[in-house]
């Protein structure tokens, strides 16, 4: 008997209501993540990755609203829960690691106070027991002299140590779903590798479902079982990780891969994707990538692209996928 996915998103849509008019930041996207699995979400800044995750957590602030779809966590639709029930799930069963710990951590509270607060908010235990658990979590995420770091303030830790403290806080209640929003972007390469290894190790230990957001395809190839490529608030391609890297079908996916530096190759210039991600009100009516795509034709500007299947779990929304040749 197949178990239901830990997270299942169906037709999720978010809209921001501005003075200039409403715009859809996320447009009817669907995906699922099983226990112990990592789904990578990749795309340039402004493609809707973080808004998608904030919508799953029900943390979209005004003027934004979730305007469609369903978000099932272990079979219950999060979008129908009361705010009190949702608050009880956040931090306990669904946790989030943010990109920049210096803005996510409270500068006037010690690391220990912040982890204790998370535990005491969700579990009926004594403060002394919470302290013991907090120090255990700091040790688990590889922070040396955990008893001393427990009493330290965020500014007294290095960037890598702050991120480890954020991970300890996120995982202190052993959540079933972890959303990691570009957790290694602000770190140097060595620390980045350590943090990625740590997240993977703890995922196996707790059998968590992980939603990992990044713009770095190198990171995606290391951590993800499956990949969702987003552009313009839409899913343009999704596939198992190895399949996506061997056989990209959407021109945007291929362009992202071609813009990466490669070992053993020393070109004069790296390839780039022409242009920039448009402002929300400037996207074409048809395919959102039409104004930057080398394969675009007239229909790409006016009609939504069809979804093609290239295998059991591989889809791309494109009028002219790479399999066509040209």
């Amino acid at each position: 008997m197949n178990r239901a996915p830990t997270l299942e998103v169906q037709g999720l849509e978010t809209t921001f209501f501005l003075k200039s008019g409403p715009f859809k930041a996320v447009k009817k996207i669907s995906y699922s993540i099983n226990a112990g699995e990592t789904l990578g979400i990749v795309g340039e800044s402004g493609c809707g990755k973080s808004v998608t995750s904030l919508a799953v957590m029900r943390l979209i602030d005004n003027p934004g609203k979730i305007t469609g779809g369903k978000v099932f966590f272990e079979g219950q639709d999060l979008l129908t829960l009361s705010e009190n029930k949702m608050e009880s799930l956040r931090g306990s069963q669904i946790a989030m690691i943010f990109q920049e710990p210096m803005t996510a951590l409270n500068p006037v509270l010690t690391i220990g106070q912040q982890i204790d607060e998370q535990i005491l908010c969700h579990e009926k235990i004594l403060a002394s027991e919470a302290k013991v658990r907090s120090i255990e979590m700091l040790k688990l995420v590889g922070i040396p002299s955990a008893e001393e770091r427990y009493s330290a303030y965020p500014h007294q830790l290095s960037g890598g140590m702050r991120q480890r403290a954020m991970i300890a806080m996120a995982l202190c209640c052993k959540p079933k779903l972890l959303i990691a929003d570009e957790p290694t972007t602000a770190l140097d390469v060595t620390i980045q590798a350590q943090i990625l290894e740590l997240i993977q190790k703890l995922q196996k230990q707790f059998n968590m479902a992980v939603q990992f957001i990044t713009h770095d395809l190198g990171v995606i190839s290391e951590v993800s079982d499956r990949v969702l490529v987003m552009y313009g608030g839409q899913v343009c391609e999704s596939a198992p990780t190895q399949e996506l890297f061997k056989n990209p079908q959407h021109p945007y996916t291929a362009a992202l891969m071609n813009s990466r530096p490669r070992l053993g190759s020393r070109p004069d210039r790296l390839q780039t994707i022409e242009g920039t991600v448009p402002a929300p009100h400037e996207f074409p009516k048809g395919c959102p990538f039409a104004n930057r795509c080398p394969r675009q034709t007239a229909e790409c500007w006016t009609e939504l692209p069809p979804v093609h299947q290239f295998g059991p779990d591989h889809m791309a929304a494109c009028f002219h996928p790479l399999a066509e040749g040209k």
Side-chain angles (χ1 to χ4, degrees):
M1 181 177 170
N2 291 330
R3 292 184 62 191
T6 300
L7 179 70
E8 185 172 8
V9 175
Q10 298 177 355
L12 181 64
E13 186 174 88
T14 63
T15 305
F16 283 78
F17 296 90
L18 306 179
K19 289 181 181 178
S20 56
F23 77 87
K24 291 179 181 176
V26 175
K27 304 171 186 175
K28 296 187 183 300
I29 75 166
S30 300
Y31 61 90
S32 63
I33 316 174
N34 297 316
E37 181 184 38
T38 300
L39 176 74
I41 302 182
V42 68
E44 292 169 276
S45 296
C47 287
K49 307 185 303 297
S50 292
V51 175
T52 298
S53 291
L54 290 172
V56 169
M57 298 283 286
R58 270 181 50 185
L59 292 173
I60 299 287
D61 289 328
N62 283 328
K65 288 185 179 177
I66 299 169
T67 49
K70 298 183 178 187
V71 178
F72 291 103
F73 173 72
E74 295 199 320
Q76 60 183 338
D77 187 356
L78 299 181
L79 304 187
T80 64
L81 298 181
S82 68
E83 185 54 37
N84 284 342
K85 179 62 176 172
M86 192 64 210
E87 281 184 7
S88 73
L89 289 177
R90 285 193 210 107
S92 60
Q93 296 188 54
I94 307 172
M96 193 164 185
I97 303 170
F98 296 92
Q99 178 175 347
E100 180 44 69
M102 270 307 277
T103 57
L105 291 169
N106 190 327
V108 300
L109 295 178
T110 66
I111 297 297
Q113 286 174 317
Q114 295 182 62
I115 303 176
D116 287 356
E117 182 182 23
Q118 180 88 329
I119 297 168
L120 292 170
C121 180
H122 294 289
E123 298 187 25
K124 293 179 180 178
I125 61 175
L126 298 173
S128 57
E129 295 174 304
K131 179 178 180 179
V132 170
R133 169 117 48 105
S134 295
I135 292 171
E136 284 176 356
M137 286 304 303
L138 291 173
K139 289 177 180 176
L140 189 64
V141 299
I143 291 183
S145 306
E147 289 83 357
E148 294 175 28
R149 303 296 185 191
Y150 173 89
S151 302
Y153 290 90
H155 73 273
Q156 295 175 307
L157 303 184
S158 67
M161 288 296 166
R162 283 195 295 268
Q163 195 60 286
R164 287 174 186 268
M166 276 285 297
I167 294 170
M169 192 183 309
L171 301 186
C172 62
C173 295
K174 299 181 181 178
K176 296 174 181 177
L177 172 64
L178 175 67
I179 297 175
D181 189 357
E182 304 208 35
T184 61
T185 300
L187 306 175
D188 66 52
V189 177
T190 306
I191 304 300
Q192 176 176 288
Q194 292 173 359
I195 295 298
L196 293 177
E197 186 179 352
L198 173 63
I199 291 173
Q200 288 176 299
K201 172 188 165 189
L202 296 172
Q203 177 185 21
K204 288 179 182 175
Q205 189 167 333
F206 299 147
N207 195 32
M208 290 184 299
V210 175
Q211 180 169 307
F212 198 104
I213 300 168
T214 183
H215 61 268
D216 189 330
L217 281 168
V219 169
I220 282 291
S221 67
E222 288 285 326
V223 302
S224 301
D225 300 298
R226 291 183 296 119
V227 183
L228 214 66
V229 183
M230 286 189 70
Y231 190 84
Q234 300 178 37
V235 176
C236 59
E237 185 163 7
S238 68
T241 305
Q242 290 188 344
E243 166 70 12
L244 189 83
F245 277 81
K246 285 181 188 172
N247 188 29
Q249 288 299 325
H250 197 284
Y252 179 58
T253 308
L256 285 176
M257 291 183 180
N258 289 335
S259 64
R260 292 179 303 152
R262 286 176 171 77
L263 287 173
S265 171
R266 301 188 67 178
D268 293 332
R269 288 176 64 88
L270 289 173
Q271 290 189 43
T272 59
I273 305 173
E274 293 296 324
T276 58
V277 178
H281 61 280
E282 294 175 343
F283 279 105
K285 288 183 180 179
C287 175
F289 191 55
N291 66 327
R292 303 175 72 189
C293 181
R295 300 170 70 85
Q296 53 86 16
T297 55
E299 62 192 344
C300 300
W301 290 84
T302 57
E303 298 176 39
L304 289 174
V307 175
H308 296 282
Q309 291 290 142
F310 299 94
D313 300 309
H314 188 177
M315 61 71 66
C318 184
F319 281 105
H320 309 291
L322 272 61
E324 273 190 358
K326 196 169 178 179

